[in-house]
Amino acid sequence: MKRYSLSNLILVLGLVFIYLPMVILVIYSFNESRLVTVWGGWSVKWYVGLLDNTQLMGAVMRSLEVAFYTAIAAVALGTMAAFVLTRIPRFRGRTMFGGLVTAPLVMPEVITGLSLLLLFVAMAQLVGWPAQRGLVTIWIAHTTFCSAYVAVVVMARLRELDLSIEEAAMDLGARPWKVFFLITVPMIAPSLAAGGMLSFALSLDDLVLASFVSGPGATTLPMEIFSAVRLGVKPEINAVASLILLVVSIATFIAWYMTRRADRRRQKAMQEAMDDATLDVAGPSGRPTMLPPPAHS
């Protein structure tokens, strides 16, 4: 009993530690006072004022656009890397390839951002691209960083799959690409969704990489907030952060609901298949069917 109570206490303290700052942020986004630390009553004027703050709303839209494209590209590249590392046990340079895939996980973002900045400058001098740094260079940097996280998540799921299902499909004449898209992808769909949401959140939250590889007119929301905080936190920032929390929460709930619904359908289909197989073996009477003895010549 004591262990159960201690576990509940630790759980509650952990949840309070994580979510209490978010709740305070949302409450103060409705503050009437312009001083974020002084409560002046309830008001929604800061949400209405966001429509007139074109600079802040432009940064929000740029961040959402970069995060969306980063999630798509990171899921594609991370899934291919995970598939190679899990399904091809031996090839020349496998250890080096695995190290390069997971290197962004342990490499400081300052080093990654500086190296990408030098790369873009060298490419601009040699081939003339990119002519200037902007959203494209931020997208490339975020995709490089987030692909490693997607690869780790998808690799963990691929190692748990039963290869006999894919082998049975190929024995029946299905081509490898068809097996991958019709069998493998649906089975790893939860990990793909998790990797996509993780990439979206990491890209939306990144400040260091974007600071190195961004250019004029490509200021993201974290950069805008960081520059504004130097002069003091504005109430509009609390309102924007609250709206982002709302959007992310809704997207997370929808992804969780769809994943849970797909798992239930999969379990139901497997149960129906097992019931059909049991009926085929037992016969219509519910008893195992007995084969007639072989005739003696």
Side-chain angles (χ1 to χ4, degrees):
M1 186 64 182
K2 293 182 179 180
R3 180 180 300 178
Y4 181 75
S5 300
L6 180 61
S7 301
N8 287 344
L9 178 62
I10 294 175
L11 177 61
V12 171
L13 291 177
L15 293 177
V16 169
F17 179 77
I18 294 174
Y19 292 104
L20 182 60
M22 299 182 187
V23 175
I24 295 175
L25 172 69
V26 174
I27 293 175
Y28 271 90
S29 66
F30 295 97
N31 188 9
E32 174 72 21
S33 174
R34 189 168 185 83
L35 300 176
V36 295
T37 58
V38 178
W39 181 256
W42 297 92
S43 176
V44 295
K45 66 178 183 179
W46 305 118
Y47 288 91
V48 178
L50 288 177
L51 301 177
D52 299 329
N53 195 336
T54 57
Q55 182 178 357
L56 187 59
M57 293 305 298
V60 171
M61 297 306 298
R62 283 190 292 270
S63 295
L64 292 175
E65 181 181 0
V66 172
F68 176 75
Y69 290 117
T70 297
I72 296 175
V75 168
L77 294 177
T79 302
M80 289 189 290
F83 193 82
V84 170
L85 291 174
T86 53
R87 297 304 171 85
I88 305 178
R90 294 182 181 179
F91 61 90
R92 182 174 297 179
R94 185 183 186 279
T95 303
M96 181 178 179
F97 178 73
L100 292 175
V101 169
T102 57
L105 295 174
V106 296
M107 188 175 299
E109 290 189 50
V110 174
I111 298 177
T112 304
L114 180 59
S115 61
L116 288 172
L117 173 62
L118 296 177
L119 173 64
F120 292 142
V121 171
M123 290 178 59
Q125 294 177 353
L126 293 177
V127 299
W129 186 90
Q132 61 179 2
R133 296 183 299 276
L135 294 182
V136 176
T137 54
I138 297 176
W139 169 67
I140 294 174
H142 286 183
T143 302
T144 304
F145 176 68
C146 296
S147 297
Y149 289 89
V150 177
V152 172
V153 174
V154 176
M155 275 194 296
R157 178 58 178 167
L158 285 173
R159 291 193 178 100
E160 298 176 354
L161 296 183
D162 187 5
L163 296 179
S164 61
I165 302 177
E166 301 177 2
E167 293 173 354
M170 287 189 287
D171 291 340
L172 294 175
R175 296 184 178 274
W177 63 268
K178 193 173 184 179
V179 173
F180 177 77
F181 285 106
L182 297 183
I183 296 179
T184 306
V185 171
M187 289 192 295
I188 64 174
S191 62
L192 297 180
M197 290 188 293
L198 180 62
S199 301
F200 186 89
L202 290 173
S203 176
L204 192 64
D205 182 61
D206 178 73
L207 171 66
V208 179
L209 291 179
S211 300
F212 276 99
V213 300
S214 64
T219 303
T220 60
L221 179 62
M223 297 172 61
E224 185 70 26
I225 293 177
F226 182 74
S227 61
V229 166
R230 295 180 179 179
L231 303 177
V233 180
K234 298 179 180 179
E236 292 91 343
I237 296 177
N238 292 339
V240 170
S242 300
L243 292 176
I244 292 177
L245 283 176
L246 177 63
V247 173
V248 171
S249 300
I250 294 175
T252 303
F253 175 78
I254 293 175
W256 169 81
Y257 177 77
M258 297 299 294
T259 303
R260 184 181 180 185
R261 187 176 180 182
D263 290 339
R264 286 184 175 180
R265 287 182 177 179
R266 190 180 302 109
Q267 293 177 1
K268 184 178 180 181
M270 292 177 62
Q271 185 64 35
E272 291 177 353
M274 293 176 62
D275 294 341
D276 294 340
T278 303
L279 290 176
D280 292 340
V281 174
S285 62
R287 298 179 179 178
T289 56
M290 301 297 293
L291 297 176
H296 296 283
S297 56

